Amino acid sequence: MSDNLPPCPQCAGEYTYEMNGLMVCPECGHEWAPGEAAGDGSAAGAGSAAGVGERVVKDAVGNVLSDGDTVTVVKALKVKGSASGIKAGTKVRNIRLVDGVDGHDIDCRIEGFGAMQLKSSVVKKA
């Protein structure tokens, strides 16, 4: 199985394997993206960690969102298990960006509803 996988760019180990979209070397513990050049060597470890954290999340109008921002809901949202939904214009404070399910990339707490996840396409930075 290792015949098709590239050797580790850090230690040249041949027993690499793929895990969660990254290549992993069990000999030295180095992780890298499959598209990275083998010449990155020692800087590859820091570069791959920074590459994972550089995900950009934009709101409905194209503003870049970050953790701790305050956003406004731009359209009415239905909430399962609730008779009333979230009205357009509701302010949500102190958001947290996450890798959610089905595009829900904002983790927040909405007054009157509690903790929930929202899609960045239905909010606007306040």
Side-chain angles (χ1 to χ4, degrees), residues 54-111:
E54 290 179 10
R55 188 174 70 100
V56 176
V57 177
K58 294 185 178 183
D59 66 2
V61 294
N63 297 323
V64 176
L65 297 174
S66 60
D67 288 343
D69 282 346
T70 298
V71 295
T72 305
V73 177
V74 295
K75 71 178 209 175
L77 303 172
K78 294 179 184 177
V79 178
K80 285 185 180 179
S82 173
S84 63
I86 299 171
K87 297 179 181 176
T90 302
K91 282 201 174 194
V92 181
R93 292 180 177 82
N94 199 19
I95 65 168
R96 194 174 54 145
L97 302 179
V98 296
D99 289 328
V101 179
D102 293 333
H104 293 82
D105 46 12
I106 297 175
D107 199 17
C108 62
R109 183 183 259 337
I110 298 177
E111 200 170 312

Side-chain angles (χ1 to χ4, degrees), residues 5-67:
L5 300 175
C8 176
Q10 191 112 17
C11 71
E14 61 184 66
Y15 301 109
T16 59
Y17 61 93
E18 187 173 357
M19 183 175 71
N20 297 329
L22 292 175
M23 299 300 297
V24 180
C25 176
E27 295 176 16
C28 69
H30 179 64
E31 296 180 353
W32 72 98
E36 284 183 7
D40 288 347
S42 61
S48 63
V52 172
E54 290 179 10
R55 188 174 70 100
V56 176
V57 177
K58 294 185 178 183
D59 66 2
V61 294
N63 297 323
V64 176
L65 297 174
S66 60
D67 288 343

